[in-house]
Structures are given as C-alpha cells and as structure tokens.
C-alpha cells in the first residue's frame, strides 16, 4: 500500500484547500516540504527575508481572497515573521504561516532552534496549532485556512516539528477533509437599514467613507451604484481608493478635512474609526456627527464612538439594501445644495495649491512635481504599491486609482518595508490573472532600505516591476549635499554618530546601481525630462524589475495642513 510522509500530506492538504502561493525561506527542517509543494502544483517563491515573505503572502490573500502561505524555518525564522503577521492581522488580510520546528524528542533539552512557537504566535493569529500526528494534518490545515478566511480575515499559524514532517503514514489512513469552506454571506437587519435610510434622508451634509473592507468584500459595483443613484459625496481610505473611482465627480478627496469636520451624517462602508479616520472624534469631526457604521465584524461596531446606526453585514448585501430603501424614497442629493457648493469650492482651492507646487519643476524637485509627471505616463489600470512617509501620503493624493484593490500601502499598522513584498505579490497576481497590467512600486528611500534586497527575488522570477525611489536622503527629510559633506569630513569617526541627524541618510545614494548586480542598468534622475524618460523606458521592460532613483529636495514637504495628519492625544 502507498505510504506518504508528512511533507506530502501537508502539500496535498494545502492544495485541496485552494492554496496557490507559498512564499518563504527554506532550511532545516522544511527543505523537503518546499519541494513537495512544487510537486503538488503550488507556486513556491523563495524570498530574502521572512518579513517580506509575509508581506507578499498577505497581499496575494487580499488580491485573490484566498490566503497566501508563508514557509519558514524554526526559531529565528518564525520570529522574523511576527512583524508581517501582525500587519496582516491588523489589516484583516488572510494568511497562513507554516513554521518548521525542532523534533519533539529534542524539546526541553536544548534542541536546535527550539522555541515555543505555537504560544508565541498566538497573539498575532486567529488560529495557532500543532497537528499532533501526520494523520491529523489535513484537519488542521482545513481549520487554519477556514479561520483565515471567515469573519474578519486574518492569520493562522501551523507548527510542524521535524519528526511530524518526516513521519510516514499509509495513504488509506489519512483523515481527509473537505475542500475550501464557503464563506457565509452576512445580511443586514432590515430594521437597521431602514433607520440608516431615515437618517440619510434628513442629512444636510452627508458623507460616504469607503474603506479597505469594502475593497476586500468586492463591493465596488454596489457602491458605485449607490453613489450614482444618490449623488452623495464620498472619500476613500488609502486602500479603499478605486472602489469608487478617484476621478468620479463625487470624489471630494481634495476637501477631506472640510468634509470630515462639517459632515452631519457619515456613512462608513467597511472603514474603521481608527487613527486613519481620526477616531471619529473632535476636533476633526463635529461633536454631534451621526455615524452609520456597516462592518462585517460586530466587535468593530461602536468601537470608537457610539454610532447612530451600527449594522453587522457584508458590505455588498448592506449597500444593496440601502439602494433599495433610498430608491423607494426617490432620494437624490442635489448638486445645488449648499453642502455640495462648500465641498466643490474647497476642492478647487486645494487643487490650485497642489497644481502650483506640481508646476514647479526647478531642481532639486519636490514631491508634487515628481508625482504629477509620473502619473501622466502610468497605465491607467496599473497596480500602485506605495510606502514611505511623505512619499506615501502625498502620492496617495496625486497617483489616482479608478479600479478597486489597485493600491497597496503601509496600511492600518503603518508598517514600513512592505513595498517590495507587496509588489512581488501584485506582479504574480497580474501574471496569472491579469497579464496586461503593470505594477508600479513607489518607495521612499528610507522605506526601500527595509526590504530592498527583494529586488533579487524580482529578478529571479522575472517580475517586471517598476520601482520608483523618491529619494530625499532621509527619514521624513535629510540633509542638503553641503551639510552632509561637512559632517562627513568634520572631526573624528567617534564624532559622526553625535553629529549626524537621526533622520538623515546618505545624500543622493545611488540605489539604481543595484541593478548592475544583475547585469542590468537603473535610472538616475534629477530633472523631470530625465524622470519621464526613465518611466517610459522602464515600462518597456517585460522580463525584470527596473529601478528609477529620482533625487528630490531633502526639505521637500507636503502642502500646509489645516490639522496635523495624526490626531494628537489630549491625555
């Protein structure tokens, strides 16, 4: 009778649960497992850092709805994933982490890389377990994948000691599990929908906020219908962009601060009232603002403020019910209302300020000029990955998205280093699902430093990712060339650590020269013509990544803000 080892049983179980992609770094005891994955038709992508592997896996989970998996070695290998696991858990993206561990008979006596991995992983997971035998691997894989997908998506961890992976079992003795579980669709309470309709009908200054949850739930058609039928103004959270187009006349992103401050009713569609939305509290909102909150997760309802209506539901089904309820009342918010006039006037004022900065092409360049002239050349359906401080925040306003799930950034946890991993996942997604699309990865120079070696991964798998490094020589901002040289040349080596500002990095570092490692060339740009030529040329490259390193003013900043971007605590 046929006999299988734990590696084969695990690979077969993952395949049965619909897992398509595994990202990782191999070593003892998971080398044979990585080979078994490939033998079972699963894509294995070898990464250069475990955190980056996590970032890729969670991004593929967000883009496809099926968890991406991470394969890592015991001890330090798994410990390196916790930043990525926390990011996925807080972003609510599905992911499965598979960790090798030391043989069970070595535990407690100082085994190689011995670590209490199941318990250490538990705070970052929805599910954390070790199958006690080869026979029960399929059951635990089914549990882990189901937990990662259902309800609020998140992370599962499975621990595999070397003896379990190497253990043998007769094929007939394996406990089989069903295929991927269907995710139950949650419908809203009709009474709560009617309450929401009544509040919207009475609103003088309504506002819709579209969150990442709406993007994940694939609710774009329903939300676009809602906006079209009602003429309501809307904003999107960073990764809610594109669910309704940024170029829609109803998008009032340019008047964000005014819209939040003066709205009397806010309809939240899969958006959390966390720091990104300033907690729904004063001084960013009026004290009497009414919130209509729709979220898949009941624990999220009323989490920061007491909502007037709180609806647990899938976003699609709730918005469909709202549309029907509002159509019965022939609701349409007039373009001639005072609220629309206020919003459009503020949009126009802010756009003029941005246009003035974007038109300044003097060197050293500023963010707005760089983003304006990049965006002019980008394919309109490209997936944009972005991270950094000002690079990400300003880029969000300048690099528009008209399609859902086409922007990936640092997210709710504000995690730096996600960019290359996200870009790898996006490029693999495009390769297998939408092969005509391009991935543009826009990085601050500081952010790029976290995971920059993943460029080698991109080269190895022939991923045509355009990496644009907006290089201000620092974290938030660096030093000008003269100041940098003075510090470099002044005093002894012991003094340089006392003199160099903590936010400063090397001036105008030549990151594009990383491509020479692989026998290729990057692009170094200081002017707009150089930048635009580099973008054009990089988009012609179809079998490898490219790096465009554009130098900007180290003191370049965003336009003046009515409020600090991060709401300060008053405690």
């Amino acid at each position: 009778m046929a006999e299988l080892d734990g590696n084969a049983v695990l690979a077969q179980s993952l395949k049965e649960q619909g897992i398509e992609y595994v990202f990782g770094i191999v070593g003892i005891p998971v080398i044979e497992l990585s080979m078994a994955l490939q033998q079972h038709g699963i894509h294995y992508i070898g990464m250069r850092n475990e955190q980056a592997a996590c970032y890729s896996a969670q991004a593929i989970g967000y883009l496809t709805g099926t968890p991406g998996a991470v394969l890592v070695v015991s001890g330090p290998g798994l410990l390196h994933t916790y930043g990525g696991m926390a990011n996925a858990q807080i972003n609510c993206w599905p992911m499965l982490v598979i960790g090798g561990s030391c043989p069970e008979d070595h535990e407690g006596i100082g085994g190689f890389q011995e670590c209490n991995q199941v318990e250490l992983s538990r705070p970052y997971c929805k599910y954390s377990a070790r199958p006690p035998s080869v026979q029960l691997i399929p059951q635990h894989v089914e549990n882990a994948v189901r937990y990662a997908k259902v309800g609020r998506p998140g992370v599962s961890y499975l621990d595999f000691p070397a003896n379990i992976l190497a253990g043998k079992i007769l094929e007939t003795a394996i406990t089989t599990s069903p295929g991927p579980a269907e995710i139950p669709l949650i419908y809203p309470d009709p009474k709560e929908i009617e309450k929401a309709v009544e509040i919207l009908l009475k609103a003088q200054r309504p506002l819709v906020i579209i969150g990442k949850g709406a993007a994940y739930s694939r609710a774009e058609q329903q939300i676009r219908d809602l906006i079209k039928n009602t003429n309501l103004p809307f904003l999107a959270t960073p990764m809610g962009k594109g669910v309704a187009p940024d170029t829609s006349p109803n998008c009032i992103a340019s008047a964000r601060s005014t819209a939040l401050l003066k709205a009397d009713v806010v309809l939240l569609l899969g958006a959390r009232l966390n720091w990104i939305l300033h907690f729904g509290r004063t001084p960013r909102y009026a004290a009497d603002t009414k919130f209509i909150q729709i979220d898949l997760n009941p624990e999220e309802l009323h989490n920061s403020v007491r909502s007037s209506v709180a609806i647990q539901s899938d976003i699609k089904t709730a918005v469909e019910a709202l549309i029907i309820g509002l159509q019965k009342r022939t609701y349409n918010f007039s373009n001639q209302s005072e609220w629309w006039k206020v919003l459009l006037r503020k949009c126009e004022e802010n756009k003029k300020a941005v246009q003035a900065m974007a038109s300044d092409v003097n060197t050293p360049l500023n963010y707005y000029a760089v983003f304006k002239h990049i965006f002019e050349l980008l394919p309109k359906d490209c997936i944009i990955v972005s991270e950094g401080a000002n690079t990400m925040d300003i880029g969000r306003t300048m690099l528009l998205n008209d399609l859902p799930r086409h922007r990936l950034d640092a997210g709710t946890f504000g995690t730096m280093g996600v960019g290359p991993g996200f870009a790898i996942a996006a490029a693999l997604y495009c390769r297998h699902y939408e092969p005509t699309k391009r991935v543009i990865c826009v990085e601050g120079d500081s952010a790029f430093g976290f995971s920059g070696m993943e460029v080698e991964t991109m080269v190895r798998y022939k991923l045509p990712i355009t990496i644009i490094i907006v290089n201000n020589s620092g974290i938030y901002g660096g030093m000008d060339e003269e100041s940098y040289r003075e510090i470099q040349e002044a005093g002894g080596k012991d003094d340089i650590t006392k003199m160099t500002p903590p936010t400063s990095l090397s001036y105008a570092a030549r990151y594009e020269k990383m491509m020479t490692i692989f026998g290729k060339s990057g692009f170094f740009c200081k002017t707009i013509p150089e930048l635009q030529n580099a973008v054009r040329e990089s988009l012609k490259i179809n079998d490898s990544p490219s790096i465009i390193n554009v130098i900007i003013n180290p003191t370049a900043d965003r336009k003046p803000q009515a409020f600090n971007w991060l709401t300060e605590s008053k405690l």
Side-chain angles (χ1 to χ4, degrees), residues 190-363:
K191 294 179 182 177
E192 298 303 311
I193 290 290
E194 185 56 32
K195 290 179 186 177
V197 168
E198 290 296 329
I199 289 175
L200 284 170
L201 289 171
K202 296 174 184 176
Q204 298 297 307
R205 298 178 303 281
L207 175 66
V208 178
I209 298 181
I210 303 167
K212 179 170 71 246
Y216 184 79
S217 72
R218 274 63 177 169
E220 53 266 19
Q221 190 55 58
Q222 291 79 6
I223 290 175
R224 291 177 183 214
D225 289 345
L226 174 69
I227 299 300
K228 179 181 177 181
N229 293 348
T230 62
N231 195 42
L232 287 169
F234 74 87
L235 294 170
T237 63
M239 279 187 276
K241 281 163 57 71
V243 172
D246 283 347
T247 54
S248 165
N250 292 73
C251 178
I252 45 88
S254 297
R256 185 181 191 271
S257 294
T258 297
L260 298 181
L261 182 61
K262 296 187 176 180
D264 62 351
V265 173
V266 175
L267 171 61
L268 292 161
L269 301 177
R272 290 174 278 180
L273 288 175
N274 55 19
W275 67 272
I276 292 176
L277 290 176
H278 314 289
F279 315 109
R281 300 175 182 174
T282 59
R284 303 303 292 265
Y285 297 79
D288 58 353
T289 303
K290 292 183 171 65
F291 290 97
I292 301 168
Q293 193 176 9
I294 303 176
D295 201 282
L296 189 68
N297 183 38
E299 286 81 5
E300 192 60 45
L301 304 177
H302 307 297
N303 188 42
S304 181
V305 298
R306 179 66 65 177
S307 295
S308 298
V309 182
I311 302 171
Q312 183 198 7
S313 175
D314 178 83
I315 302 298
K316 294 191 300 292
T317 59
V319 174
E320 286 169 353
L322 274 178
I323 291 171
I324 292 170
L326 291 166
Q327 281 179 335
K328 288 180 180 177
R329 311 292 283 272
T330 62
Y331 177 78
N332 187 276
F333 193 68
S334 173
N335 266 336
Q336 302 305 310
S337 68
E338 188 58 33
W339 181 226
W340 262 119
K341 292 177 182 177
V342 167
L343 292 174
L344 293 176
R345 186 163 55 246
K346 193 64 179 178
C347 280
E348 192 60 30
E349 290 175 8
N350 286 337
K351 285 177 181 177
K352 285 181 179 178
V354 168
Q355 287 167 359
M357 298 177 75
S359 298
D360 178 6
V361 295
N362 291 317
T363 56

